[in-house]
């Protein structure tokens, strides 16, 4: 029984991961995710050293964009493409439960999208360290903070875009509006308004993990636990809601 | 043993009743054609039986498992194969990868899966194209892949929804031949179709539906039940005198001339034909031959739909 379920997980998550990493859309997100590497590589090539301060500024400036684009492109298509290609109706009548279907697809997305986002950050970090001659281990907590932010962000944004992708035909448009208006404007507004944006929680994770640079100056009242927990709860709620939609909405073979 | 059973099955979409009071009993190994016009509720019925949608009321059982009850639904999915109206194949994946994907989801062990995929692709003549993406296949080829996809886990029951719809005549014939082969393998097949000759050729029993089940039985049983027997008298000349003489016989229910032949409806042709022959000859007619009129499914079908309307 467990072996059979494991087989279903590897099959579905594997196909999702393969599509995420190697499809044409996957190639586009790789190009976007590699932005930090181009920028920092360009700065180094121009003869300037990239210290940990500059590394933080550049990654922070680009991370939101990379997270939103990667999660939007891959999270929203998890079910939207299945609906548009008429493959979901068949899939939901086959030997896999609907809960597993949602969970395994999301996990397949999560692993592969995380790889797309974190690999360039790690490569950029080591490139920056090499440019200054500072041992890579010296500021490793900064790298750890960014990887943690990416890990939580890919889950939270991915969950939301999974839900939007299932519920809305114009998921990409809705996702772009959310990602680039809501998540850009709300974090910089005064008072408690930033609490309504995932970006605020992600930056609060960084603030709690590092003691130097721009991240450490982020204005937040959130502790690390809350900053991690809330986005993960958002992800879980969105994945759960997608499951509810899947079991309540009747999938047509010609949607 | 009843393998598929529905009891007062009903499904509505808002105010529209798609299926009503559906009571079906299909035995193991039967090829059951579910025949009806567009909008008769055929697809809705298959979607209920394959656990894709819930019934509004009534019950349905597949191999003793109740449709709509979650633990039973998983058993139903494991024991059934399904060809939906739209094949819904992964276009970017090859034929073999499509089959492998679903074989894995069914938990078919790798060694058996590989052998099964080879067997099925060879059977449909697409083994040489096994590594080609489905996007490069013709409609008929995709349909064949979709049918064998439904069989990759060797299910006991196959639900096929309009398997030849939208195919050109040669592809449709290939798929039909294929269904005859499937029937001979002893699978229980539930075939949705509005194609009468397909139903007649492929199935062992037929159900005619138009929201409600209008009739079920073998084509012969349906003809016997719903059509009057008739004899056809081929005459040298079908004159008005001959028609009147035959019509005057008590036991004759209806008589008309069609393509120069006298078509006579009556309860018992064996008993009545000699008297009709005598009446024809007495009226100056010359009989070339007498045959029993063949009662086609088409006549039964049209009659049932006409009555239902």
């Amino acid at each position: 029984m467990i072996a059979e379920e494991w087989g279903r997980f590897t099959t579905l998550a594997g196909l999702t991961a393969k599509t995420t990493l190697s499809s044409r859309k996957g190639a586009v997100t790789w190009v976007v995710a590699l932005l930090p590497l181009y920028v920092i590589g360009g700065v180094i090539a121009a003869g300037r050293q990239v210290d940990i301060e500059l590394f933080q500024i550049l990654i922070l400036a680009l991370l939101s964009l990379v997270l939103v684009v990667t999660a939007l492109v891959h999270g929203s298509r998890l079910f939207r493409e299945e609906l548009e290609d008429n493959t979901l109706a068949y899939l939901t009548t086959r030997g896999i439960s609907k809960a597993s279907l949602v969970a395994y697809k999301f996990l397949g997305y999560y692993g592969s999208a995380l790889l797309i986002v974190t690999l360039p950050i790690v490569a950029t970090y080591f490139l920056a360290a090499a440019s200054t001659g500072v041992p890579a281990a010296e500021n490793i907590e900064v790298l750890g903070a960014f990887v943690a932010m990416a890990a939580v962000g890919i889950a939270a944004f991915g969950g939301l875009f999974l839900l939007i992708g299932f519920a809305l035909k114009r998921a990409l448009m809705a996702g772009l509006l959310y990602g680039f208006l809501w998540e850009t404007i709300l974090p910089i507004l005064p008072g408690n308004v930033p609490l309504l944006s995932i970006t605020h929680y992600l930056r609060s994770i960084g603030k709690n993990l590092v003691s130097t640079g721009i991240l450490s100056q982020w204005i937040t009242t959130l502790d690390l636990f809350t900053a991690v927990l809330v986005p993960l709860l958002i992800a879980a709620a969105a994945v759960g809601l997608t499951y509810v939609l899947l079991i309540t909405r009747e999938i047509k073979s010609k949607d | 043993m009843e393998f598929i059973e529905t009891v007062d099955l009903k499904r509505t979409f808002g105010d529209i009743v798609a299926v009503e009071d559906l009571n079906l009993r299909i035995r193991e190994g039967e090829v059951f054609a579910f025949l009806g016009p567009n909008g008769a509720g055929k697809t809705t019925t298959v979607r209920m039986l394959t656990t894709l949608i819930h019934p509004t009321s009534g019950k349905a059982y597949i191999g003793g498992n109740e449709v709509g009850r979650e633990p039973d639904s998983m058993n139903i999915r494991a024991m059934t194969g399904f060809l939906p109206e739209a094949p819904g194949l992964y276009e970017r994946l090859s034929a073999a990868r499509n089959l492998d994907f679903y074989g894995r989801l069914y938990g078919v062990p790798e060694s058996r899966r590989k052998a099964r995929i080879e067997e099925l692709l060879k059977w449909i003549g697409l083994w040489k194209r096994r590594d080609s993406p489905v996007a490069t296949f013709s409609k008929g080829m995709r349909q064949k892949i979709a049918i064998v996809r439904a069989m990759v886990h060797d299910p006991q029951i196959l639900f096929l929804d309009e398997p030849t719809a939208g195919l050109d005549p040669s592809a449709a014939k290939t798929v039909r031949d294929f269904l005859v082969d499937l029937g001979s393998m002893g699978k229980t097949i539930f075939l949705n179709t509005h194609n009468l000759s397909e139903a007649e050729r492929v199935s062992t029993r037929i159900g005619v539906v138009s929201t409600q089940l209008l009739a079920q039985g073998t084509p012969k049983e349906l003809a016997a039940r719903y059509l009057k027997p008739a004899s056809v008298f081929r005459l040298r000349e079908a004159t008005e005198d001959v028609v009147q003489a035959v019509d005057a016989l008590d036991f004759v229910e209806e008589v008309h001339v069609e393509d120069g032949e006298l078509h006579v409806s009556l309860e018992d042709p064996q008993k009545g034909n000699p008297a009709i022959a005598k009446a024809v000859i007495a009226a100056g007619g010359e009989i070339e031959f007498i045959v029993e009129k063949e009662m086609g499914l088409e006549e039964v079908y049209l009659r049932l739909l006409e009555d239902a309307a």
Side-chain angles (χ1 to χ4, degrees):
Chain A
M1 193 70 184
I2 292 171
E4 272 187 21
E5 203 51 40
W6 174 251
R8 290 187 190 108
F9 166 70
T10 54
T11 303
L12 205 54
L15 181 66
T16 306
K18 191 184 164 200
T19 313
T20 304
L21 294 171
S22 65
S23 66
R24 237 175 284 165
K25 283 178 182 169
V28 171
T29 50
W30 272 115
V31 170
V32 175
L34 286 166
L35 269 177
L37 201 58
Y38 313 139
V39 174
I40 287 180
V43 171
I44 293 167
R48 217 191 128 176
Q49 286 188 344
V50 179
D51 60 18
I52 201 65
E53 294 280 333
L54 184 57
F55 173 77
Q56 278 195 47
I57 291 168
L58 289 173
I59 295 290
L60 259 186
L62 297 170
L63 188 61
S64 293
L65 170 78
V66 171
L67 281 177
V68 168
V69 169
T70 307
L72 176 59
V73 169
H74 297 296
S76 65
R77 53 157 278 276
L78 285 176
F79 281 101
R80 179 49 43 200
E81 277 186 5
E82 297 262 11
L83 282 165
E84 285 169 2
D85 295 346
N86 283 318
T87 48
L88 189 60
Y90 189 77
L91 197 55
T92 53
T93 59
R94 299 306 88 208
I96 182 165
S97 71
K98 288 178 180 175
S100 302
L101 185 60
V102 177
Y104 300 167
K105 268 180 159 293
F106 185 74
L107 290 172
Y109 145 82
Y110 183 73
S112 48
L114 191 58
L115 195 70
I116 291 175
V117 174
T118 52
L119 267 185
I121 294 174
V122 173
T124 308
Y125 173 79
F126 282 101
L127 186 66
S131 83
T132 55
V134 174
E138 198 169 302
N139 295 302
I140 201 77
E141 91 277 7
V142 175
L143 177 64
F146 280 122
V147 170
M149 287 162 69
V152 175
I154 279 293
F157 285 126
L160 275 182
F161 294 139
L162 165 81
L163 177 62
I164 290 172
F166 192 95
L168 303 176
K169 280 195 174 170
R170 294 188 176 274
L172 215 56
M173 184 55 72
L176 284 172
L177 286 173
Y178 166 78
F180 293 110
L181 279 180
W182 184 280
E183 286 295 332
T184 308
I185 295 168
L186 264 64
I188 53 170
L189 293 179
N192 288 329
V193 181
L195 291 173
L196 296 172
S197 79
I198 291 171
T199 304
H200 181 72
Y201 293 91
L202 299 184
R203 291 187 178 176
S204 301
I205 293 173
K207 154 104 181 175
N208 282 291
L209 287 178
V210 300
S211 53
T212 55
I214 190 168
L215 260 181
S216 65
Q217 290 152 34
W218 183 250
I219 299 164
T220 181
T221 54
L222 299 172
D223 57 71
L224 180 62
F225 180 73
T226 311
V228 171
L229 184 67
V230 172
L232 292 183
L233 285 177
I234 290 171
V239 172
L241 271 174
T242 307
Y243 167 69
V244 172
L245 280 182
L246 184 66
I247 56 170
T248 51
R249 183 170 155 184
E250 293 180 342
I251 311 299
K252 295 173 189 166
S253 56
K254 287 175 181 171
D255 204 53
Chain B
M1 175 192 167
E2 260 76 39
F3 221 47
I4 302 171
E5 187 178 359
T6 67
V7 183
D8 297 332
L9 199 64
K10 182 176 181 177
R11 174 67 207 211
T12 57
F13 295 99
D15 295 336
I16 299 164
V17 180
V19 176
E20 193 172 25
D21 297 335
L22 186 67
N23 291 289
L24 288 174
R25 281 164 172 250
I26 298 162
R27 288 181 288 273
E28 191 170 1
E30 260 190 329
V31 180
F32 184 82
F34 203 43
L35 196 61
N38 293 330
K42 303 188 299 290
T43 297
T44 302
T45 302
V46 163
R47 290 176 70 202
M48 283 191 280
L49 295 178
T50 53
T51 74
L52 201 53
I53 59 173
H54 292 286
T56 305
S57 63
K59 304 251 184 216
Y61 302 90
I62 311 275
N65 297 286
E66 189 179 334
V67 171
R69 261 180 43 180
E70 207 30 66
D72 284 9
S73 289
M74 284 301 284
N75 294 337
I76 291 170
R77 288 173 198 167
M79 69 194 303
T80 58
F82 173 41
L83 171 76
E85 243 181 314
L89 295 160
Y90 290 104
E91 300 263 315
R92 281 190 289 268
L93 296 186
S94 69
R97 281 282 287 136
N98 263 284
L99 300 185
D100 186 62
F101 175 74
Y102 284 102
R104 281 166 183 256
L105 287 187
Y106 277 114
V108 181
E110 190 174 354
S111 56
R112 222 178 86 205
R113 202 167 64 233
K114 281 188 173 171
R116 182 82 176 141
I117 290 169
E118 184 174 345
E119 178 194 355
L120 291 170
L121 286 176
K122 281 182 175 166
W123 182 45
I124 57 171
L126 288 175
W127 176 242
K128 285 186 180 164
R129 298 286 307 273
R130 64 188 176 277
D131 295 324
S132 304
V134 166
T136 63
F137 284 9
S138 70
K139 218 170 173 182
M141 287 156 83
R142 283 172 204 220
Q143 195 72 341
K144 287 205 263 182
I145 293 288
I147 293 173
V148 294
R149 176 188 60 182
M151 299 171 63
V152 76
H153 58 302
D154 201 13
Q156 292 156 280
I157 307 167
L158 279 169
F159 288 97
L160 307 173
D161 193 3
E162 305 280 7
T164 57
L167 298 183
D168 63 59
S170 108
K173 186 185 177 304
T174 312
V175 171
R176 238 171 262 138
D177 291 343
F178 192 55
L179 296 181
V180 172
D181 284 354
L182 276 178
S184 64
M185 286 177 185
K187 299 273 179 208
T188 306
I189 299 175
F190 190 104
L191 170 70
N192 258 7
T193 184
H194 54 236
N195 186 317
L196 298 170
S197 65
E198 181 172 291
E200 209 162 10
R201 193 175 147 203
V202 172
S203 65
T204 50
R205 222 153 54 86
I206 289 166
V208 181
V209 66
S210 181
T211 306
Q212 291 178 316
L213 185 69
L214 303 177
Q216 60 179 321
T218 65
K220 275 199 168 174
E221 281 169 359
L222 294 178
R225 208 177 308 154
Y226 295 98
L227 295 175
K228 294 268 181 247
S231 297
V232 179
F233 290 75
R234 176 79 181 262
L235 306 178
R236 200 162 291 271
E237 194 185 355
T239 62
E240 192 55 35
D241 288 348
V242 170
V243 174
Q244 279 177 10
V246 174
D247 203 19
L249 297 168
D250 294 346
F251 56 85
V252 168
E253 294 180 6
E254 198 249 320
V255 58
H256 70 273
V257 178
E258 200 178 303
D259 298 329
E261 291 172 336
L262 200 63
H263 290 243
V264 186
S265 299
L266 68 171
E267 200 65 51
D268 188 347
Q270 226 172 337
K271 210 169 149 189
N273 281 349
I276 296 170
K278 273 186 195 168
V280 169
I281 292 163
E286 287 177 85
I287 299 170
E288 291 177 345
F289 58 76
I290 307 170
V291 290
E292 187 182 355
K293 186 174 179 179
E294 275 188 32
M295 296 297 184
L297 183 60
E298 190 178 5
E299 282 149 306
V300 178
Y301 176 74
L302 294 174
R303 167 85 182 273
L304 284 166
L305 292 184
E306 207 176 290
D307 289 351

